[in-house]
Amino acid sequence: MLSVKNIFSNFISERIPKKQTNIFFQLFNGIEAMFSQLELLIKIYKRERNILSATTLLSLRNLAAQNGFEPKLKIPSKGILYMKVSTKLFNRVGYPLYLPPNAVFTNNATKLNYYFNSNKSLKIENDVLLIPVIEGELIQKNEISKGNYIERFYINTDSIAENSIIIEVNGIKYTEVKSFFDNENLYDDKQFIVKYSNKLDTPLVIYVKGTKLNDILVITYRLTSGEYGNIESKFNFETQSIINSQGNLIDIADDEITIYNNSGFNFGSNGTDVNALRAAI
């Protein structure tokens, strides 16, 4: 079977003299290069659509999904930090002090950020505190509905924590479901589905049902490093997120606070791995 380039070459060569001075022949050389590139892209496309030859994670996810297997997103590492506050800090800046929601704690070794896992402030009234944290930053973006029955929005990364996606319209939260068909007329028909897309630059797609034209959707999700956030030995942490009663950040010296991992940080995951995807195809 002749390739696209060869078919095109045979067609042109029968009609255009092969002379360097022939402008049509020079133009043909450029078009021939374009068809060579097109032929390469077609070969890659065929390879990535074949269960025996697919190599990219994106292709494996799509092939597994066609067999009814839904890959899982990443799971962020969670744990408890031990924090000891020196009386020197209270003497210098006053009392009380507070730890606001999503306060940032940085692992001094890996430089990964972990966030206070609470939507309420914590009053620092003891010199020793145990603080629940989760790895990964919360991201918020706004999208505008075009009035379609089912809207489609893409996310340009797959480093999203499982079950972290929240969608709100006018303060009303939408419910994540696995199927619109199986949940017809439930949850006031305000639902969304998260799937892997077939695009390399936007690997995740969110389908949203129940919006109206020009509705502003507030989409929140957590970016995570997955298993890279796990901690197997003792590491020191630092924070500059502590505030006073006026809500102002305070500067903290190294000898005024001690923070290290106390427990947990074992179950971060990169989601469905390549071996599981191949087994599902």
Side-chain angles (χ1 to χ4, degrees), residues 42-56:
I42 292 174
K43 287 180 179 179
I44 294 174
Y45 178 85
K46 289 181 178 180
R47 183 194 70 197
E48 296 303 319
R49 294 302 182 273
N50 188 309
I51 62 175
L52 298 178
S53 59
T55 57
T56 68

Side-chain angles (χ1 to χ4, degrees), residues 104-174:
V104 183
F105 294 85
T106 303
N107 185 320
N108 289 342
T110 65
K111 301 305 178 183
L112 281 183
N113 289 331
Y114 297 73
Y115 295 78
F116 177 35
N117 197 12
S118 174
N119 57 6
K120 295 181 180 180
S121 294
L122 175 65
K123 187 176 183 180
I124 303 175
E125 46 190 1
N126 299 316
D127 61 342
V128 173
L129 292 166
L130 296 177
I131 303 168
V133 295
I134 182 171
E135 185 269 322
E137 179 185 6
L138 284 175
I139 301 296
Q140 190 173 92
K141 59 183 293 189
N142 292 344
E143 298 284 358
I144 299 177
S145 171
K146 297 178 181 177
N148 298 321
Y149 180 66
I150 296 177
E151 295 285 354
R152 180 186 302 174
F153 304 104
Y154 289 92
I155 298 180
N156 61 1
T157 177
D158 60 353
S159 296
I160 308 295
E162 188 176 29
N163 300 322
S164 73
I165 298 177
I166 299 172
I167 297 179
E168 292 182 278
V169 177
N170 296 322
I172 299 174
K173 286 187 178 182
Y174 280 50

